[in-house]
Amino acid sequence: MISDELAAGVEEAVRAAAAAEIMPRWRQLAAHEVTEKTGPHDLVTIADHRAEERLTAALTALLPGSVVVGEEAVHASPAVYRALGGDAPVWIVDPVDGTRQFVHGDPGFCTLVALAHGGEVLASWTYAPALGELAVARRGAGAYLNGEVLRSGSPAPGAALEVACSHPDFTTDEQKRALLGLYTEGVKPRPCGSAGLEYLGVARGALDAVAFSWENAWDHAAGLLLVAEAGGGHATLTGEPFRLAGGNALPFTAARDELTVRRILSLLASAGQATDPSPSAEGRAGGAVDA
């Protein structure tokens, strides 16, 4: 359990990074301040870099001996990701989750920070500055949105499940086949926006589930704890918990309750088995983008 003092310090650091490096650039970006990483749908801006640098300094100062696994640092040096399997406490940072939305002037972006140790997420912060929303979760202590308790609840009986899922452009052929299982009666799939905000949607009961085919820890660590502490659940395609360090069976899902988790997994597995004779989905890799 992290202390109240540390939790307050992290919240202050997240708000300060957004106020100094992100919001002044929202709808003010110059062309040269936006570049591509792996392709035209995978963007990075000066705000991403500056906010991550600021958060890295602030978070490691708050918890001496800790390390940071940030999206932009890993892009520059993939070996940084290995810290997720080490002994030190790890801050997992996505400075601007939803960079495409940020670049286009849409408010649907957020800053994601999670603290993990030994492969377990201890606390998370999901801050959407343009929306004025801060969601916080601490393992065993619940989830809160702007100070109010979050409860995921359960889908209404008989209602179609609303599911945000990976865009087909960013999936392998095998994952695409599995995700096609969601295109059935009683399910309403749609491409996801900011992963962090989709997880928040599940935690607050506004979205029934997510189904994702990529496993970058900075996209998922904060949201998975948020959903769990709000009463929801998650599992990978083989029914196992999501592993921060990678090697997950993909796609995986997080949902408002365990019954919905099982229903989504059944649809994914059935669709995959119908066209894929391989005995296991273990180790499948998904195309990763900054959702």
Side-chain angles (χ1 to χ4, degrees):
M1 184 70 69
I2 70 169
S3 69
D4 291 343
E5 181 181 6
L6 178 58
V10 176
E11 178 177 336
E12 181 179 351
V14 170
R15 290 185 181 275
E21 307 295 353
I22 298 173
M23 291 308 292
R25 296 182 169 97
W26 184 45
R27 298 176 174 169
Q28 303 294 327
L29 287 167
H32 71 275
E33 294 177 326
V34 183
T35 56
E36 296 179 7
K37 289 196 284 189
T38 61
H41 298 290
D42 188 10
L43 304 176
V44 63
T45 75
I46 186 174
D48 296 77
H49 288 294
R50 296 284 177 80
E52 184 170 313
E53 291 166 2
R54 187 182 182 106
L55 283 167
T56 297
L59 296 172
T60 52
L62 285 169
L63 186 60
S66 63
V67 297
V68 173
V69 171
E71 178 175 7
E72 307 315 327
V74 172
H75 179 70
S77 177
V80 170
Y81 207 79
R82 296 175 191 161
L84 290 170
D87 296 328
V90 182
W91 298 102
I92 304 169
V93 175
D94 190 339
V96 182
D97 179 62
T99 300
R100 286 176 294 152
Q101 287 84 351
F102 178 73
V103 169
H104 296 148
D106 188 292
F109 62 90
C110 61
T111 296
L112 300 174
V113 172
L115 176 61
H117 193 208
E120 182 176 75
V121 184
L122 305 178
S124 75
W125 294 260
T126 300
Y127 182 43
L131 300 174
E133 295 185 334
L134 174 66
V136 178
R138 290 161 71 176
R139 181 166 293 277
Y144 297 83
L145 175 61
N146 291 345
E148 299 293 325
V149 175
L150 278 174
R151 299 284 188 216
S152 59
S154 296
L161 295 179
E162 297 190 10
V163 184
C165 55
S166 300
H167 192 285
D169 287 351
F170 308 113
T171 57
T172 66
D173 288 342
E174 292 172 352
Q175 293 161 4
K176 192 181 279 87
R177 287 193 290 268
L179 289 167
L180 283 174
L182 301 178
Y183 290 81
T184 188
E185 185 177 355
V187 183
K188 294 168 60 178
R190 62 164 174 79
C192 72
S194 154
L197 294 185
E198 302 292 16
Y199 280 115
L200 176 55
V202 175
R204 72 201 308 178
L207 179 68
D208 295 314
V210 295
F212 292 144
S213 61
W214 78 96
E215 58 182 355
N216 296 329
W218 49 80
D219 285 319
H220 306 301
L224 287 172
L225 181 64
L226 189 69
V227 168
E229 290 298 317
H234 80 272
T236 65
L237 191 61
T238 52
E240 300 170 313
F242 183 90
R243 293 189 295 270
L244 291 178
N248 294 286
L250 303 170
F252 73 97
T253 186
R256 293 173 65 185
D257 60 13
E258 290 295 340
L259 182 62
T260 307
V261 169
R262 292 195 294 273
R263 182 177 175 189
I264 297 297
L265 284 183
S266 177
L267 292 171
L268 295 173
S270 296
Q273 290 169 1
T275 52
D276 181 2
S278 62
S280 171
E282 187 67 39
R284 294 174 180 170
V289 299
D290 181 0

